[in-house]
């Protein structure tokens, strides 16, 4: 009696083959929408950034010349930031649709906002970036692109889940912001999207297409620069691992002090009870901080950190400590009082200043190592995203030999921040949109 041959473990039946084919077709159907969303996300980012740069040039270079004053003077810094607070407060108060929920309650990737909010949000972002406020474009630009993608995507393909459009727009924007799809993949891997039985690369396939399109568009049109020029790392030593962990730990502790202060500062500003009062007061405080720390502590921080590292010999240890603390305080105030912006880029500036401070205090700690480890520690505390923090630290110094040391440095820093408060207001009443002058969540 002959035994029937049974299929081996690798053989696929007709139903399994059909399922694989169906999955491939679903992924292919998302390629074109992902490409379009990635390109548009990048163009929105570039357009807003260009508009902000033009306004910034007029506010800080052209206008002060008309008045016969220096755009770098303490008085002009105080005046411009106070005016930026007043203008943003008026937008929140009077503009149709306001500017959305309280920015302190929102993260990098959140549920889509109503489209009617976007015009006011766009204007508020431009004022923030041009006015010298210590916030980056990442959070509001991501919110704008998510809202547009969901509104248009649901009309074109109403059966496609909203979460798909959210992930494509978020990935396209992150890819455009950082000039690489790797950052988008790392961030999306940390977002809890509920149970999904699909393999990881099936879940990331379409978002990576969007991220790649967004990154390539930005690289071709705007040439993003996330690296700084520091003394090259000469090679790993055993003591460097200890140094990296120590610097990252101290940087995380310093940043956690700001995280703990954040809800108290937020509560203090919101006691004023009106968006014009809150934001004008916030702009006044930011102006005072800018007058104290100088021009390097203004704006989102990317150009300023390159200027800082270009001439490290010009900065004493005390001066670097002042820059780091002023920028960190400005980040807390700006994010608390209602300005629209993200926390990643100013946090990177704080990390760069702290890394340079560590090198200035202990010359044996290599500059590249100290800078990368400090950026890692600050970002872990502020963003609570380990992969993003590791990526930013490694990309900033641009030396692959530092990556193993940074992987070790993140461990004690993560132990310090895990389970502790985040730099985001999560109170139920505030998230429901009951804060004065802000619209509720979608």
């Amino acid at each position: 009696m002959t035994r029937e041959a049974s299929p081996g473990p690798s053989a696929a039946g007709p139903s399994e083959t059909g399922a694989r084919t169906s999955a491939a077709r679903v992924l292919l159907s998302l390629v074109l929408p992902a490409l379009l969303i990635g390109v548009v996300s990048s163009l929105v980012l570039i357009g807003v950034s260009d508009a902000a740069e033009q306004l910034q040039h007029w506010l800080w270079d052209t206008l002060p010349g008309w008045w016969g004053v220096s755009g770098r003077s303490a008085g002009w810094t105080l005046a411009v930031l106070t005016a930026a607070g007043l203008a943003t407060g008026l937008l929140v108060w009077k503009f149709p649709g306001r500017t959305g929920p309280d920015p302190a309650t929102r993260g990098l990737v959140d549920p889509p906002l109503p489209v009617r909010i976007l015009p006011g949000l766009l204007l508020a972002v431009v004022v923030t970036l041009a006015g010298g406020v210590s916030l980056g474009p990442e959070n509001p630009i991501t919110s704008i692109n998510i809202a547009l993608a969901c509104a248009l995507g649901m009309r074109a393909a109403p059966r496609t889940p909203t979460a798909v459009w959210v992930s494509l727009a978020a990935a396209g924007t992150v890819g455009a912001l950082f000039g690489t799809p790797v950052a988008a993949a790392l961030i999306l891997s940390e977002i809890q999207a509920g149970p999904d039985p699909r393999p990881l690369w099936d879940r990331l396939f379409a978002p990576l297409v969007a991220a790649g399109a967004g990154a390539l568009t930005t690289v071709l049109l705007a040439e993003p620069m996330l690296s700084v020029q520091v003394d090259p790392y000469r090679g790993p030593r055993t003591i460097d691992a200890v140094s990296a962990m120590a610097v990252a730990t101290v940087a995380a502790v310093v940043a956690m002090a700001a995280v703990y202060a954040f809800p108290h500062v937020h509560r203090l500003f919101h006691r004023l009870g009106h968006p014009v009062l809150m934001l004008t007061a916030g702009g006044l405080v930011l102006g005072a901080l800018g007058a104290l720390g100088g021009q390097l502590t203004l704006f989102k921080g990317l150009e300023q950190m390159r200027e800082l590292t270009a001439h490290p010999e010009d900065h004493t240890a005390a001066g670097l400590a002042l820059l780091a603390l002023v920028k960190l305080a400005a980040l807390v105030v700006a994010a608390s009082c209602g300005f629209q912006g993200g926390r990643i880029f100013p946090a990177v500036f704080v990390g760069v200043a702290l890394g340079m401070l560590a090198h200035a205090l202990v010359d044996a700690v290599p500059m590249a190592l100290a800078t990368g480890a400090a950026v890692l520690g600050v970002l872990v505390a502020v963003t609570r995203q380990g992969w993003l923090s590791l990526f930013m630290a490694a990309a900033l110094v641009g030396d692959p030999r530092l990556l193993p040391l940074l992987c070790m440095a993140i461990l004690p820093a993560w132990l310090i921040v895990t389970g502790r408060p985040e730099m985001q207001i999560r109170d139920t009443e505030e998230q429901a949109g009951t804060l004065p002058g802000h619209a509720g969540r979608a």
Side-chain angles (χ1 to χ4, degrees):
M1 183 175 178
T2 59
R3 181 177 297 176
E4 241 180 67
S6 60
S10 60
S15 60
E16 186 177 351
T17 302
R20 291 176 180 174
T21 303
S22 176
R25 287 175 179 172
V26 170
L27 295 180
L28 284 173
S29 69
L30 290 173
V31 168
L32 181 58
L35 287 171
L36 292 174
I37 289 174
V39 171
V40 172
S41 296
S42 175
L43 293 177
V44 170
L45 171 65
I46 293 172
V48 171
S49 299
D50 286 347
E53 287 178 7
Q54 294 297 322
L55 180 58
Q56 176 185 330
H57 175 71
W58 184 79
L59 285 174
W60 295 93
D61 298 324
T62 304
L63 189 58
W66 294 354
W67 293 88
V69 298
S70 171
R72 290 180 170 266
S73 66
W76 190 258
T77 299
L78 190 67
V80 171
L81 279 159
T82 304
L86 174 61
T88 305
L90 290 173
L91 287 172
V92 174
W93 182 34
K94 290 294 187 180
F95 205 88
R98 315 297 186 183
T99 60
D102 179 7
T105 67
R106 291 179 65 83
L108 182 61
V109 181
D110 278 312
L113 297 172
V115 176
R116 61 185 174 82
I117 289 175
L118 302 190
L121 180 56
L122 275 168
L123 291 175
V125 177
V126 171
V127 171
T128 295
L129 296 175
V133 178
S134 292
L135 292 172
E138 59 273 17
N139 286 20
I141 295 297
T142 304
S143 293
I144 290 168
N145 286 333
I146 286 175
L148 290 174
C150 289
L152 297 175
M154 293 304 292
R155 285 189 177 185
R159 294 184 179 180
T160 302
T162 302
V164 172
W165 304 117
V166 171
S167 65
L168 293 181
T173 307
V174 172
L177 278 164
F178 300 110
T180 171
V182 175
L186 295 177
I187 289 176
L188 290 175
S189 71
E190 294 188 274
I191 296 176
Q192 296 180 356
D196 191 337
R198 294 179 302 165
L200 176 63
W201 277 94
D202 275 9
R203 300 197 301 269
L204 292 181
F205 180 85
L208 281 176
V209 173
L216 183 58
T217 303
T218 301
V219 168
L220 292 175
L221 299 180
E223 298 182 4
M225 294 270 300
L226 293 179
S227 60
V228 294
Q229 295 296 323
V230 294
D231 293 337
Y233 183 57
R234 296 183 178 179
R237 301 173 299 171
T238 303
I239 190 62
D240 287 345
V242 178
S243 300
M245 289 189 287
V247 171
T249 299
V250 172
V253 170
V254 171
M256 280 305 300
V259 173
Y260 275 106
F262 181 69
H264 301 289
V265 178
H266 179 269
R267 195 176 304 116
L268 184 64
F269 277 112
H270 282 70
R271 284 178 181 173
L272 296 175
H274 195 283
V276 174
L277 293 177
M278 289 188 303
L279 281 149
T280 303
L284 181 62
V285 175
L286 290 174
L289 288 170
L292 176 64
Q295 287 276 313
L296 282 178
T297 59
L298 301 181
F299 305 102
K300 61 185 178 184
L302 282 182
E303 294 80 6
Q304 289 71 31
M305 72 181 182
R306 287 195 287 271
E307 183 179 345
L308 179 64
T309 55
H311 304 286
E313 67 280 356
D314 294 344
H315 303 281
T316 64
L320 291 168
L322 178 65
L323 288 174
L325 293 178
V326 168
K327 188 67 172 181
L328 193 58
L331 168 59
V332 172
V333 170
S336 299
C337 68
F339 281 105
Q340 289 286 350
R343 307 168 181 92
I344 294 175
F345 294 126
V348 171
F349 178 93
V350 174
V352 170
L354 288 177
M356 293 178 64
L357 174 60
H359 174 73
L361 293 175
V362 184
D363 186 67
V365 180
M367 175 77 82
L369 176 68
T371 302
V375 167
L376 179 65
V378 173
L379 280 177
V380 162
V382 172
T383 68
R384 212 56 54 87
Q385 292 180 322
W387 286 122
L388 173 66
S389 303
L390 192 59
F391 165 80
M392 288 293 291
L396 193 72
V397 293
D399 191 334
R401 293 176 297 176
L402 287 171
L403 190 56
L405 298 173
L406 293 175
C407 289
M408 295 183 64
I410 196 174
L411 301 178
W414 187 260
L415 289 177
I416 289 173
V417 306
T418 187
R420 301 187 185 277
E422 300 180 30
M423 191 175 276
Q424 185 175 348
I425 303 300
R426 297 189 180 276
D427 182 80
T428 303
E429 181 179 344
E430 290 176 335
Q431 286 190 346
T434 59
L435 293 174
H438 286 279
R441 283 184 180 271

